[in-house]
Amino acid sequence: MRFVAALAALTLFGVIAAVGGSFYVLWHFGKGLPEYAQLADYEPAVVTRVHAGDGRLMAEYATEKRVFVPLDAIPRRVVKAFLAAEDKNFYSHPGIDFLAMARAVVQNVKLLANNPNRRPIGASTITQQVARNFLLTDEVSLDRKVKEAILSFRIEQVLTKDRILELYLNEINLGFRAYGVGAAALNYFDKSLDDLTLAEAAYLAALPKAPNRYNPLRNLEAAQIRRDWVLDQMVEAGYVRADEAAQAKTEPLQVRRRDEQELVRGADYFAEEVRRELVAKYGEKMTYGGGLSVRTTLDPRLQTVADRALRNGLIAYDRRHGWRGPVDRIGTGAGWEQRLALIPAPAGTTDWRMALVLSTDREIAHVGFADGEKGRIPLSELRWARENKPEQKLGPPIERVDQVVKAGDVVLAEAIGNNTFALRQVPAVSGALVALDPHTGRVLAMAGGWSFEASQFNRATQAMRQPGSSFKPFVYMAALDKGYTPSTVVVDGPISLPQGPGLPNWTPKNYAGDSLGPVPLRVGIEKSRNQMTVRIGVDVGINRIADYAAAFGIHPNLPRHMSMVLGAGETTVLRHTAAYGMIVNGGKKITPTLIDRIDDRNGKTLYRHDQRPCQGCGGIAYQSQAAPIIPDLRPQIEDPVTAYQMVSMLQGVVERGTGVSIRELGRPLAGKTGTSNDANDTWFMGFSPDLAVGVFVGFDQPKSLGDRETGSSICVPIFKDFMGEALKDTPKTPFRIPQGIRLVRTNPETGRLARPGDKVIMDAFRPGSEPMTSDVADESEAGSLGVSGTGAPLPTRSPASGSGLY
């Protein structure tokens, strides 16, 4: 009896000690644990997706690429695959699977006896993995395992099994930069979860243990073995039949990248500008993990056209200024293929290839490539490559191949057919092109440079450059609002203005150094006359011109110097293009935007560019009734009559002036060239009735583009190429004429009514301001400024009609 009593007492003591020890363990390891209740409202970081205007994906921003999918939207086949592979007893255990744990202990004893350095086999439940992934670290230690177990019990008390499984399936790292099953299905197989086969679902379930080890691109055999193991586990758990699993095992494991047709390529500058705007508006955390859905204004077709037109224009300029030498030099002896392969290609070479000149003769350069292929570059493809000399000068004409390349030169080459290649070089010059809808401000295309890979600096939005003569239309609109007409005669002749005490007078000159004398206002725009523009600026006043620059968004505070009338005030291509859009849209204020709409992860709209109300538009089925009237909320910043007069004058630039080569397109187009001092900046800004386009070309570190280079020679061809392709197969819509315009047949060279035999245009006037005679004005009438088209003195203020800057 004493023995029994002692045994009972010892047992009781042991139970008390065990219970006490358990409570101590729970207290010791449980104190300071992360707050697990937060998981009830946890929203995992989700990828922000940016879409083009046609809905195609163009960019994703995320620290962890994850597409959150609710559990009830995940196919049961996928759920069962993960349960079979990771936690068969998930719906029956309390957070810890004691049976699986005991089995793992036995296996680990056997394995560690043979290999003490082997990593132990785990028996973590899905709940434990949620605790580890969300609240703990991946540290391998007893301390962490105890904390993980305690948290698992606690999590099971506050979350349902379905919520725990939902968190797990959306949080787990599955490799390929994919977090969660939704992102993994896209990244591995280019499919939604609903479209996965049994074999593909089993493969995804094989990844949690070691996604890098089972990467099918590196370890295909190991990946297939692990996938087949998951299929066997699904059979064992009763989730699929044995014949279904056997059939799935025969399916090849193939990674399928996303369909190129479903992705927008080449809009890197546009996408980066969107990213910067998102970060500025919502911060980095929201941008990279908030699951935003961003619908942009990008037109992928126009973006492709813009990139091609700008690149071709930069290449054309670069070729005119000669060859800057080979990329590198190496030996042509044995092993040249390997040596060539080690030389990095210059950034932005696209589909050009690195080639080694193996030998030359007078007419041909024989070249080889790193893959052993050989070809030839004929002399005809080298004649452009005259030596590039300082100040954009050129060396002598090319008569022999060895004037350009020699054996051992590493060069860039582009295939042109029949084993023949053309010599190429990455342009040193850069530029930008912006195309936008002038009625809404929606940016349809943006090319910010030669190559985003070479430079992420966006010359469309970040480069502040002098617009040169492309600023003149805003000076002339100020004059039109003051009472000038397109036929007003102004002297284009020498003018000298004081700059201040101790400074010499400023004496602007025309580009060619000549003067035309008294000519109509229209000629000043069409021929880009500097002296005439300065005279107009003096009469209108620099303060008023600065008001126009601010109203049109070109420059918020233009310096009050008369040189600003010739475009010395810096702006960006995007701002300037929007300003031209406000001319062609009839003087309505627009704000350029790259984003139409932003929705949060739950579909709630956070931002919408178009703020126009539409009363009674919701919940109505269309039954051929009249469309609702949506109000136009755009502020009127310029008189529509003045705006159209400027459109007409800029159309003359294309018909008879510095942009005359564009006339070959046979479409209603208008615009203005621009060239800054020393030809550091060149521009062409123009539009059709429904598309405004700005082109800029210049060196990133401003320097002269060359004595004979202008906006006409560099930017006009780019604009022409873009518009020719962008407007192909579209109607030839004429420019819209507002009320209050009277069209009169005039001679554009004199501004007078047209006579038989004259050149004739239909010029735009306010009623009562049109010329009344076809007689040529006497030059003596044109004083220091000029005379009106009727011979009457120029008005000194806006007409009583109230036209002017609104």
mmCIF file of all heavy atoms in Angstrom, residues 290-313:
data_model
loop_
_atom_site.group_PDB
_atom_site.id
_atom_site.type_symbol
_atom_site.label_atom_id
_atom_site.label_comp_id
_atom_site.label_asym_id
_atom_site.label_seq_id
_atom_site.Cartn_x
_atom_site.Cartn_y
_atom_site.Cartn_z
ATOM 1 N N GLY A 290 -0.452 47.812 -53.172
ATOM 2 C CA GLY A 290 -1.850 48.151 -52.956
ATOM 3 C C GLY A 290 -2.823 47.512 -53.916
ATOM 4 O O GLY A 290 -4.037 47.681 -53.776
ATOM 5 N N GLY A 291 -2.312 46.791 -54.924
ATOM 6 C CA GLY A 291 -3.212 46.130 -55.853
ATOM 7 C C GLY A 291 -4.021 47.088 -56.705
ATOM 8 O O GLY A 291 -5.167 46.795 -57.072
ATOM 9 N N LEU A 292 -3.436 48.233 -57.037
ATOM 10 C CA LEU A 292 -4.148 49.214 -57.859
ATOM 11 C C LEU A 292 -4.334 48.683 -59.277
ATOM 12 O O LEU A 292 -3.483 47.960 -59.816
ATOM 13 C CB LEU A 292 -3.375 50.530 -57.904
ATOM 14 C CG LEU A 292 -3.127 51.234 -56.567
ATOM 15 C CD1 LEU A 292 -2.238 52.454 -56.774
ATOM 16 C CD2 LEU A 292 -4.440 51.625 -55.917
ATOM 17 N N SER A 293 -5.432 49.047 -59.869
ATOM 18 C CA SER A 293 -5.676 48.760 -61.289
ATOM 19 C C SER A 293 -5.712 50.092 -62.018
ATOM 20 O O SER A 293 -6.594 50.916 -61.762
ATOM 21 C CB SER A 293 -6.995 48.011 -61.474
ATOM 22 O OG SER A 293 -7.264 47.806 -62.852
ATOM 23 N N VAL A 294 -4.748 50.303 -62.897
ATOM 24 C CA VAL A 294 -4.569 51.600 -63.546
ATOM 25 C C VAL A 294 -4.861 51.467 -65.037
ATOM 26 O O VAL A 294 -4.206 50.683 -65.738
ATOM 27 C CB VAL A 294 -3.130 52.122 -63.339
ATOM 28 C CG1 VAL A 294 -2.969 53.509 -63.946
ATOM 29 C CG2 VAL A 294 -2.770 52.132 -61.856
ATOM 30 N N ARG A 295 -5.834 52.208 -65.513
ATOM 31 C CA ARG A 295 -6.135 52.251 -66.948
ATOM 32 C C ARG A 295 -5.520 53.530 -67.504
ATOM 33 O O ARG A 295 -5.913 54.627 -67.120
ATOM 34 C CB ARG A 295 -7.635 52.226 -67.194
ATOM 35 C CG ARG A 295 -8.032 52.348 -68.674
ATOM 36 C CD ARG A 295 -7.484 51.217 -69.532
ATOM 37 N NE ARG A 295 -8.111 49.960 -69.234
ATOM 38 C CZ ARG A 295 -9.135 49.449 -69.897
ATOM 39 N NH1 ARG A 295 -9.658 50.106 -70.912
ATOM 40 N NH2 ARG A 295 -9.624 48.276 -69.553
ATOM 41 N N THR A 296 -4.545 53.372 -68.391
ATOM 42 C CA THR A 296 -3.862 54.532 -68.943
ATOM 43 C C THR A 296 -4.495 54.956 -70.265
ATOM 44 O O THR A 296 -5.397 54.304 -70.796
ATOM 45 C CB THR A 296 -2.368 54.232 -69.179
ATOM 46 O OG1 THR A 296 -2.242 53.312 -70.285
ATOM 47 C CG2 THR A 296 -1.725 53.646 -67.940
ATOM 48 N N THR A 297 -3.961 56.039 -70.807
ATOM 49 C CA THR A 297 -4.462 56.602 -72.063
ATOM 50 C C THR A 297 -3.700 56.075 -73.273
ATOM 51 O O THR A 297 -4.005 56.452 -74.401
ATOM 52 C CB THR A 297 -4.312 58.131 -72.031
ATOM 53 O OG1 THR A 297 -2.910 58.448 -71.842
ATOM 54 C CG2 THR A 297 -5.101 58.732 -70.878
ATOM 55 N N LEU A 298 -2.726 55.204 -73.058
ATOM 56 C CA LEU A 298 -1.820 54.777 -74.131
ATOM 57 C C LEU A 298 -2.551 54.070 -75.273
ATOM 58 O O LEU A 298 -3.353 53.167 -75.038
ATOM 59 C CB LEU A 298 -0.756 53.842 -73.564
ATOM 60 C CG LEU A 298 0.286 53.355 -74.582
ATOM 61 C CD1 LEU A 298 1.336 54.429 -74.805
ATOM 62 C CD2 LEU A 298 0.952 52.066 -74.115
ATOM 63 N N ASP A 299 -2.232 54.475 -76.486
ATOM 64 C CA ASP A 299 -2.670 53.770 -77.689
ATOM 65 C C ASP A 299 -1.470 52.965 -78.187
ATOM 66 O O ASP A 299 -0.518 53.541 -78.716
ATOM 67 C CB ASP A 299 -3.125 54.774 -78.754
ATOM 68 C CG ASP A 299 -3.666 54.098 -80.010
ATOM 69 O OD1 ASP A 299 -3.073 53.091 -80.449
ATOM 70 O OD2 ASP A 299 -4.664 54.583 -80.569
ATOM 71 N N PRO A 300 -1.460 51.635 -78.008
ATOM 72 C CA PRO A 300 -0.271 50.845 -78.354
ATOM 73 C C PRO A 300 0.172 50.996 -79.802
ATOM 74 O O PRO A 300 1.367 51.006 -80.091
ATOM 75 C CB PRO A 300 -0.704 49.411 -78.046
ATOM 76 C CG PRO A 300 -1.760 49.550 -76.999
ATOM 77 C CD PRO A 300 -2.506 50.803 -77.368
ATOM 78 N N ARG A 301 -0.779 51.120 -80.724
ATOM 79 C CA ARG A 301 -0.384 51.276 -82.128
ATOM 80 C C ARG A 301 0.356 52.579 -82.343
ATOM 81 O O ARG A 301 1.425 52.621 -82.975
ATOM 82 C CB ARG A 301 -1.617 51.215 -83.036
ATOM 83 C CG ARG A 301 -1.262 51.276 -84.535
ATOM 84 C CD ARG A 301 -2.514 51.320 -85.388
ATOM 85 N NE ARG A 301 -3.149 52.614 -85.364
ATOM 86 C CZ ARG A 301 -2.822 53.635 -86.167
ATOM 87 N NH1 ARG A 301 -1.850 53.497 -87.054
ATOM 88 N NH2 ARG A 301 -3.477 54.782 -86.094
ATOM 89 N N LEU A 302 -0.166 53.664 -81.782
ATOM 90 C CA LEU A 302 0.493 54.953 -81.936
ATOM 91 C C LEU A 302 1.836 54.969 -81.222
ATOM 92 O O LEU A 302 2.787 55.626 -81.669
ATOM 93 C CB LEU A 302 -0.398 56.082 -81.420
ATOM 94 C CG LEU A 302 -1.667 56.375 -82.233
ATOM 95 C CD1 LEU A 302 -2.391 57.592 -81.664
ATOM 96 C CD2 LEU A 302 -1.350 56.589 -83.697
ATOM 97 N N GLN A 303 1.942 54.242 -80.100
ATOM 98 C CA GLN A 303 3.219 54.182 -79.401
ATOM 99 C C GLN A 303 4.279 53.509 -80.258
ATOM 100 O O GLN A 303 5.429 53.961 -80.325
ATOM 101 C CB GLN A 303 3.063 53.420 -78.078
ATOM 102 C CG GLN A 303 4.335 53.348 -77.260
ATOM 103 C CD GLN A 303 4.823 54.704 -76.802
ATOM 104 O OE1 GLN A 303 4.047 55.493 -76.270
ATOM 105 N NE2 GLN A 303 6.091 55.008 -77.014
ATOM 106 N N THR A 304 3.908 52.440 -80.926
ATOM 107 C CA THR A 304 4.845 51.756 -81.830
ATOM 108 C C THR A 304 5.279 52.687 -82.951
ATOM 109 O O THR A 304 6.464 52.752 -83.307
ATOM 110 C CB THR A 304 4.188 50.493 -82.404
ATOM 111 O OG1 THR A 304 3.845 49.611 -81.325
ATOM 112 C CG2 THR A 304 5.129 49.778 -83.368
ATOM 113 N N VAL A 305 4.314 53.413 -83.509
ATOM 114 C CA VAL A 305 4.625 54.356 -84.594
ATOM 115 C C VAL A 305 5.538 55.466 -84.084
ATOM 116 O O VAL A 305 6.490 55.866 -84.771
ATOM 117 C CB VAL A 305 3.321 54.940 -85.177
ATOM 118 C CG1 VAL A 305 3.630 56.017 -86.218
ATOM 119 C CG2 VAL A 305 2.479 53.835 -85.798
ATOM 120 N N ALA A 306 5.273 55.964 -82.881
ATOM 121 C CA ALA A 306 6.085 57.042 -82.306
ATOM 122 C C ALA A 306 7.520 56.590 -82.090
ATOM 123 O O ALA A 306 8.472 57.306 -82.421
ATOM 124 C CB ALA A 306 5.465 57.518 -80.990
ATOM 125 N N ASP A 307 7.688 55.413 -81.501
ATOM 126 C CA ASP A 307 9.041 54.897 -81.265
ATOM 127 C C ASP A 307 9.805 54.754 -82.569
ATOM 128 O O ASP A 307 10.971 55.141 -82.671
ATOM 129 C CB ASP A 307 8.966 53.537 -80.553
ATOM 130 C CG ASP A 307 8.538 53.655 -79.108
ATOM 131 O OD1 ASP A 307 8.750 54.732 -78.515
ATOM 132 O OD2 ASP A 307 7.988 52.684 -78.567
ATOM 133 N N ARG A 308 9.144 54.194 -83.572
ATOM 134 C CA ARG A 308 9.822 53.965 -84.850
ATOM 135 C C ARG A 308 10.172 55.277 -85.538
ATOM 136 O O ARG A 308 11.282 55.447 -86.057
ATOM 137 C CB ARG A 308 8.936 53.105 -85.753
ATOM 138 C CG ARG A 308 9.611 52.733 -87.080
ATOM 139 C CD ARG A 308 8.844 51.649 -87.810
ATOM 140 N NE ARG A 308 7.467 52.011 -88.082
ATOM 141 C CZ ARG A 308 6.421 51.363 -87.562
ATOM 142 N NH1 ARG A 308 6.599 50.347 -86.747
ATOM 143 N NH2 ARG A 308 5.186 51.747 -87.863
ATOM 144 N N ALA A 309 9.248 56.239 -85.532
ATOM 145 C CA ALA A 309 9.496 57.520 -86.193
ATOM 146 C C ALA A 309 10.645 58.266 -85.522
ATOM 147 O O ALA A 309 11.523 58.823 -86.195
ATOM 148 C CB ALA A 309 8.228 58.368 -86.185
ATOM 149 N N LEU A 310 10.653 58.288 -84.175
ATOM 150 C CA LEU A 310 11.727 58.988 -83.474
ATOM 151 C C LEU A 310 13.069 58.302 -83.711
ATOM 152 O O LEU A 310 14.069 58.977 -83.992
ATOM 153 C CB LEU A 310 11.423 59.047 -81.975
ATOM 154 C CG LEU A 310 12.482 59.769 -81.125
ATOM 155 C CD1 LEU A 310 12.605 61.233 -81.538
ATOM 156 C CD2 LEU A 310 12.155 59.657 -79.640
ATOM 157 N N ARG A 311 13.122 56.984 -83.596
ATOM 158 C CA ARG A 311 14.380 56.261 -83.790
ATOM 159 C C ARG A 311 14.912 56.475 -85.203
ATOM 160 O O ARG A 311 16.104 56.725 -85.400
ATOM 161 C CB ARG A 311 14.198 54.772 -83.508
ATOM 162 C CG ARG A 311 14.008 54.446 -82.035
ATOM 163 C CD ARG A 311 13.746 52.969 -81.827
ATOM 164 N NE ARG A 311 14.902 52.169 -82.174
ATOM 165 C CZ ARG A 311 15.875 51.848 -81.328
ATOM 166 N NH1 ARG A 311 15.831 52.274 -80.071
ATOM 167 N NH2 ARG A 311 16.896 51.099 -81.712
ATOM 168 N N ASN A 312 14.028 56.400 -86.199
ATOM 169 C CA ASN A 312 14.473 56.611 -87.582
ATOM 170 C C ASN A 312 14.995 58.025 -87.780
ATOM 171 O O ASN A 312 15.978 58.245 -88.504
ATOM 172 C CB ASN A 312 13.324 56.335 -88.561
ATOM 173 C CG ASN A 312 12.996 54.853 -88.672
ATOM 174 O OD1 ASN A 312 13.799 53.996 -88.272
ATOM 175 N ND2 ASN A 312 11.840 54.530 -89.204
ATOM 176 N N GLY A 313 14.339 58.998 -87.132
ATOM 177 C CA GLY A 313 14.793 60.378 -87.256
ATOM 178 C C GLY A 313 16.141 60.597 -86.592
ATOM 179 O O GLY A 313 16.994 61.321 -87.122
#
